[in-house]
Amino acid sequence: MNRLHMHQKVTFMVNRYEIFADNGQGEPGAVVAFVEQKRMAFKEHVTIYTDSSKSTVLANFRARKVIDLASGYDVIDGNNQPIGFFRKDFGKSLLNSTWHLDQPGAPTATGKERSQGVAVFRRLWNFIPFLNNFPFPMRYHFDFTRGGAPVFSVDKKTWLRDHYLLDIQDQYIDRRVVIAQAVAVDALQSR
């Protein structure tokens, strides 16, 4: 699977994500993952299931620390084996959100917002009273690279709803780690 679609549904206390395989025509096909992320958790722990029945765990990601702006997140598989790690680069993220993603046996991949202008506008949006209670309406994109080579991208495809396209260029990256990072880009972005 080199292309995935991620749709978010916001509820009162939980962010829900459905991840779909591409149907070969650029549209969502079969569900490959289902994620629930509790809002306002003191220590993030997000479980990725194979579907909405939540009977089989595909992976998890957990914060290493309680409410830490530069915390790292361990990604583990359904058997509690480490498969990756990611963290937000707090200093670089003041102007342009930057993430670092590690997978065993591979150099670090770095993801940045594609547009500096949108990145700055998104930060201003969060400081405007009343508006900051609404989702950011513009599309934004993250490109993850390793040594200058593309690894994957997370593209917000809709203006008002959170629908993303995940394009994976690196054939060796674990798709579970990509899903975990994509959920984090959306769910943890404002932290």
Side-chain angles (χ1 to χ4, degrees):
M1 291 183 291
N2 292 327
R3 178 173 277 186
L4 300 169
H5 300 262
M6 183 173 80
H7 295 178
Q8 179 193 22
K9 181 179 181 182
V10 178
T11 64
F12 181 64
M13 292 301 289
V14 176
N15 290 326
R16 285 192 179 102
Y17 298 88
E18 286 185 305
I19 293 83
F20 305 88
D22 189 82
N23 69 358
Q25 299 172 354
E27 297 294 325
V31 172
V32 295
F34 177 82
V35 182
E36 287 188 333
Q37 181 250 348
K38 293 179 184 173
R39 293 176 170 197
M40 299 185 286
F42 286 109
K43 187 173 182 183
E44 282 301 334
H45 181 189
V46 177
T47 303
I48 303 166
Y49 301 97
T50 55
D51 59 37
S52 61
S53 72
K54 300 193 277 187
S55 59
T56 305
V57 174
L58 191 60
N60 295 278
F61 67 87
R62 299 179 204 166
R64 288 188 171 174
K65 299 179 184 175
V66 177
I67 306 179
D68 181 2
L69 298 175
S71 182
Y73 299 85
D74 292 300
V75 184
I76 58 171
D77 68 13
N79 297 315
N80 289 322
Q81 297 301 308
I83 57 173
F85 171 79
F86 60 84
R87 68 178 176 84
K88 189 170 186 180
D89 189 324
F90 182 71
K92 290 183 179 179
S93 293
L94 292 174
L95 291 177
N96 188 321
S97 291
T98 303
W99 292 84
H100 300 288
L101 175 77
D102 292 303
Q103 185 177 324
T108 299
T110 300
K112 293 182 178 185
E113 287 182 87
R114 191 177 300 159
S115 169
Q116 182 68 49
V118 171
V120 171
F121 184 56
R122 198 165 51 74
R123 278 150 189 75
L124 293 173
W125 179 273
N126 289 329
F127 289 108
I128 300 171
F130 182 69
L131 277 183
N132 64 349
N133 294 321
F134 295 97
F136 185 69
M138 295 183 70
R139 293 183 277 178
Y140 53 92
H141 318 284
F142 283 81
D143 295 313
F144 285 79
T145 60
R146 183 183 296 126
V151 178
F152 69 95
S153 61
V154 179
D155 294 326
K156 185 175 181 191
K157 301 307 286 180
T158 56
W159 290 94
L160 296 175
R161 300 182 70 188
D162 286 345
H163 290 187
Y164 298 88
L165 181 63
L166 314 178
D167 269 321
I168 304 165
Q169 293 88 12
D170 183 327
Q171 63 180 343
Y172 300 108
I173 192 160
D174 191 315
R175 281 22 180 190
R176 298 168 296 180
V177 175
V178 171
I179 291 168
Q181 179 68 75
V183 168
V185 162
D186 180 81
L188 307 177
Q189 191 54 37
S190 62
R191 297 185 189 175

